[in-house]
Amino acid sequence: MKLVYLGTPEMAVPPLQALHAAGHEIVLVVTRVDKKRGRGGALSPSPVKAAAIELGLPVSHDPDDVIRAVERDGAELGVVVAYGRMIRPHNLAVIPMVNAHFSLLPRWRGAAPVERAVLAGDSETGVCIMALEEGLDTGGVYDCVTTPITDDTTAAELRVRLVEIAADLLVRTLNTPLAEWIDTAEPQHGETLYAAKFAKPDFEIDWAQPAEHVHRLIRVGGAWTTFRDKRLKIHAADLVDGVLVPTTVQPEGKGRMDFAAWRNGAQPTANELFGTL
């Protein structure tokens, strides 16, 4: 099948590589523009762009080039994985598109489905291959694969597993002739929840919340609190009989360290609490 692939971050790389390895002809890769990264401010390509160049695939930053890929190269299908932008109606009008979405739709439509599933304490999530339409993750679903979320699963660990599922599911779906499945998408059923993107304040730990909620936020990644007027990131913690026990922390301006080592160095008094100035 001749494909246009639209994706941007690292999690969109394995599905691109899998489709290429499966023998599909990827006539165009569309990704976000290069960004300034690091202290020097040099422009760096997105992970998908870097992977596409390595595979020898043509790359564009203009989603309107999808139209030219259809007219010039005979592209039959667009595949979207974490592209990061809404696809405009005039592009959807010229080629059918499918999206690998990292949740069990319609639960957690939107930008941060993995993180929201962990924070909500969901016991499972998955990947759905859905038809792309103008609405935000509202299209019909072709197939889904479910995977569990345990009380210790981090968002980072879950993301790796979901990427592997997405790559396999896309290959399995696209290895079937397009005409046999493109019109078979089933409408979404169930409670609709939206996975809003996290902002920096969302990662600040509210110690008034139950320990289980704080533990889930830490598992999302990026959780922080304050200690002696400085920020302290908590990268990992255990939940023991309802009590939160940090295991890996990072003081402001320093690297990660074992919590016991930090405590031995900081020597907090009995009256010093996290989250107070």
Side-chain angles (χ1 to χ4, degrees):
M1 194 180 303
K2 290 187 175 184
L3 306 176
V4 174
Y5 189 88
L6 300 93
T8 299
E10 185 63 40
M11 66 191 305
V13 171
L16 170 65
Q17 295 169 330
L19 290 170
H20 182 266
H24 294 285
E25 183 181 353
I26 301 171
V27 300
L28 180 65
V29 173
V30 181
T31 189
R32 301 294 296 273
V33 297
D34 297 355
K35 285 188 174 182
K36 291 183 178 180
R37 305 177 194 274
R39 295 182 179 180
L43 288 175
S44 296
S46 73
V48 163
K49 181 177 180 178
I53 291 172
E54 186 174 336
L55 293 171
L57 303 175
V59 178
S60 172
H61 299 134
D62 184 359
D64 285 347
D65 281 341
V66 169
I67 298 173
R68 287 180 277 277
V70 173
E71 297 172 345
R72 179 188 62 221
D73 303 312
E76 305 164 79
L77 181 71
V79 177
V80 181
V81 182
Y83 174 50
R85 291 177 62 180
M86 297 288 286
I87 308 299
R88 296 176 182 176
H90 65 276
N91 288 321
L92 293 172
V94 300
I95 186 174
M97 292 192 181
V98 298
N99 178 33
H101 186 75
F102 295 83
S103 80
L104 298 175
L105 293 166
R107 189 173 180 84
W108 303 128
R109 295 174 178 172
V114 179
E115 295 83 355
R116 292 296 174 185
V118 172
L119 186 61
D122 290 359
S123 61
E124 64 179 12
T125 187
V127 176
C128 288
I129 305 299
M130 56 168 287
L132 210 65
E133 58 182 34
E134 289 185 45
L136 179 62
D137 301 326
T138 57
V141 174
Y142 296 105
D143 199 1
C144 291
V145 172
T146 301
T147 190
I149 305 175
T150 71
D151 292 338
D152 296 317
T153 305
T154 67
E157 293 166 343
L158 185 59
R159 197 175 294 111
V160 170
R161 195 191 318 158
L162 292 172
V163 166
E164 293 175 352
I165 292 172
D168 291 341
L169 187 55
L170 277 170
V171 169
R172 187 174 75 200
T173 302
L174 270 61
N175 279 353
T176 303
L178 187 64
E180 294 184 14
W181 58 269
I182 193 62
D183 294 322
T184 65
E186 294 289 333
Q188 297 179 24
H189 297 287
E191 181 185 15
T192 298
L193 291 177
Y194 287 92
K197 187 176 180 179
F198 281 73
K200 287 184 179 180
D202 296 330
F203 294 103
E204 182 177 6
I205 296 172
D206 178 1
W207 295 105
Q209 292 285 340
E212 291 80 2
H213 176 86
V214 176
H215 187 235
R216 293 196 296 266
L217 180 62
I218 292 169
R219 288 160 47 211
V220 166
W224 60 275
T225 187
T226 54
F227 182 76
R228 293 177 183 167
D229 296 339
K230 291 187 177 181
R231 185 172 296 199
L232 180 72
K233 293 182 179 179
I234 302 181
H235 292 291
D238 293 330
L239 195 60
V240 183
D241 297 327
V243 176
L244 189 78
V245 182
T247 57
T248 305
V249 298
Q250 183 176 0
E252 186 174 325
K254 298 182 179 179
R256 296 189 183 200
M257 64 176 63
D258 183 79
F259 177 70
W262 172 84
R263 184 180 55 201
N264 289 338
Q267 296 185 344
T269 66
N271 295 325
E272 289 183 301
L273 301 176
F274 287 151
T276 57
L277 299 177

